[in-house]
Amino acid sequence: MKVFFDERQLGHKPEVYYRGGAPMPHPEQPERAILIRDMLIEHGFPISAPADFGTDPIKAVHDPAYVDFFSDAYERFLKEAPEGALGIPTRHPGTRRGRCPKDINGAMGWWMTDTSTPLTENTYEAIYWSAQTAISAAKDVMDGARASYGLSRPPGHHAMTDCANGFCFYNNACIAAHHMRAKWGKVALLDVDVHTGNGSLDIFYDRGDVFFCSLHPDPAVYPTFYLGYADETGEGDGLGASLNEVLNMGDGETEVMEALDRGISAIQDFGAEALVVSLGFDMAADDPLAAVEVYAEGFAEMARRIAAMGLPTVLIQEGGYLGPSLRANAEAFLTTFRKEIGG
């Protein structure tokens, strides 16, 4: 199984964000990807640099103006910001009536929903190559590989059609899934990150050609809030093509595997011909953002059940932060998945 990764993804280095009104060290750090990359090298996974597909595949799922905003946003911020300011949005339009202003602070609030997606010197380069990593993994599977892994960082599944959210800028998994529609009539996106794939839900909610399933705790009490309730099943052409498997805070591996099995059954009933997995390791019991309790063997069992679906599969990295077991969990899932698919 080939791995795609680009060193330029390490350039985004956020310092702080605000949680519950308090400043916190930002958990989405480059070391996450370095740790997983080094583990993969030790296990003999071939790692390739992604190709450059440009912005068209990104704009296929995102508002083009939103995509373009990030290309020079940090430089614009520096020109207007006071000495020592951080590129954190501080103004938000709420209902989003109106239009994007010329002022960079207003524009940041227009395109960025919270404080977790600050602009840094190399943010655009990092998110651009994170998306190219996902597209390259998708292309590898479209060209005949049984499976491929995009070590995308920053992650993407909270990024909505036209706004950044929850550490995420471009929705790498949605970009990959839409790209795969050029070959397969029905594609499924399975999100096993602990947080609601709210961005993916937003992007595919009215589409019937991509089935979306997310496993996550109740958004009434756990971030990312707002989207991901069990009665949100899609609309228009997408009615019935969204499935939110809502867990309880503190659920263990039994409940998580039961939810995974229901999601797999729904994907099979949909008739998916190919699969994208938003792969988060933050379901770990000791993750810094922990909400449920999955351990290394649980991640290995997830890999077995997903591999047993027998679909051409693209794995796209999402969450999983610098807790004690991150490496072990990534190792358990990825080495097990490779073994189950035979290479």
Side-chain angles (χ1 to χ4, degrees):
M1 181 172 70
K2 189 179 288 186
V3 175
F4 290 91
F5 177 71
D6 193 289
E7 296 285 335
R8 285 169 285 192
Q9 295 178 85
L10 303 177
H12 176 62
K13 297 178 180 179
E15 297 178 35
V16 299
Y17 78 123
Y18 291 85
R19 189 167 75 216
M24 301 276 181
H26 202 297
E28 205 292 286
Q29 292 298 315
E31 288 76 15
R32 302 173 52 240
I34 294 169
L35 183 151
I36 296 173
R37 179 203 63 190
D38 291 351
M39 177 276 293
L40 293 167
I41 291 171
E42 290 178 23
H43 282 278
F45 283 82
I47 298 181
S48 299
D52 189 347
F53 294 87
T55 59
D56 284 351
I58 306 173
K59 292 178 179 179
V61 303
H62 287 295
D63 182 327
Y66 168 73
V67 175
D68 291 340
F69 164 74
F70 291 102
S71 64
D72 65 352
Y74 184 70
E75 289 73 17
R76 291 173 58 195
F77 175 76
L78 286 183
K79 289 179 181 178
E80 299 183 26
E83 184 72 24
L86 300 177
I88 297 174
T90 56
R91 294 174 172 85
H92 301 281
T95 60
R96 306 257 303 176
R97 292 191 182 93
R99 65 196 70 182
C100 182
K102 292 181 181 179
D103 177 87
I104 184 59
N105 292 285
M108 287 166 63
W110 182 262
W111 296 123
M112 302 158 75
T113 65
D114 61 27
T115 66
S116 76
T117 54
L119 300 174
T120 72
E121 182 178 4
N122 297 306
T123 294
Y124 179 66
E125 187 175 57
I127 64 178
Y128 180 86
W129 287 105
S130 186
Q132 302 305 321
T133 290
I135 301 163
S136 295
K139 183 65 164 57
D140 187 47
V141 172
M142 293 168 72
D143 288 344
R146 167 64 175 82
S148 190
Y149 172 49
L151 180 47
S152 290
R153 186 271 159 184
H157 71 144
H158 300 313
M160 293 177 254
T161 305
D162 59 359
C163 53
N165 177 253
F167 312 160
C168 301
F169 297 84
Y170 297 154
N171 195 312
N172 305 307
C174 286
I175 293 165
H178 179 81
H179 201 69
M180 291 163 69
R181 280 283 292 105
K183 179 168 183 176
W184 290 289
K186 289 186 173 184
V187 175
L189 173 51
L190 174 62
D191 191 320
V192 296
D193 183 283
V194 76
H195 300 92
T196 309
N198 58 317
S200 304
L201 193 67
D202 174 66
I203 288 169
F204 288 138
Y205 202 64
D206 61 355
R207 287 179 54 169
D209 57 336
V210 179
F211 187 91
F212 176 65
C213 175
S214 178
L215 281 59
H216 52 263
D218 188 347
V221 297
Y222 186 68
T224 55
F225 306 123
Y226 310 122
L227 289 176
Y229 294 90
D231 61 357
E232 295 169 350
T233 61
E235 63 185 15
D237 291 342
L239 186 62
S242 292
L243 174 63
N244 293 295
E245 284 291 339
V246 179
L247 302 166
N248 294 310
M249 297 291 286
D251 273 353
E253 292 179 355
T254 298
E255 293 83 5
V256 171
M257 295 305 162
E258 289 173 350
L260 177 61
D261 284 346
R262 291 191 295 269
I264 289 172
S265 293
I267 289 169
Q268 292 170 332
D269 290 343
F270 172 72
E273 301 163 275
L275 177 68
V276 176
V277 179
S278 275
L279 180 59
F281 298 120
D282 44 5
M283 280 200 180
D286 62 2
D287 188 90
L289 302 179
V292 299
E293 298 182 0
V294 177
Y295 299 88
E297 178 51 36
F299 286 104
E301 182 59 24
M302 279 188 185
R304 294 184 193 100
R305 297 186 190 200
I306 293 170
M309 297 171 71
L311 295 173
T313 300
V314 177
L315 306 172
I316 302 296
Q317 189 59 47
E318 302 287 2
Y321 301 97
L322 291 170
S325 69
L326 175 57
R327 176 193 161 108
N329 297 332
E331 181 178 36
F333 186 99
L334 292 165
T335 59
T336 301
F337 192 87
R338 180 176 63 173
K339 178 181 178 181
E340 292 295 313
I341 65 170

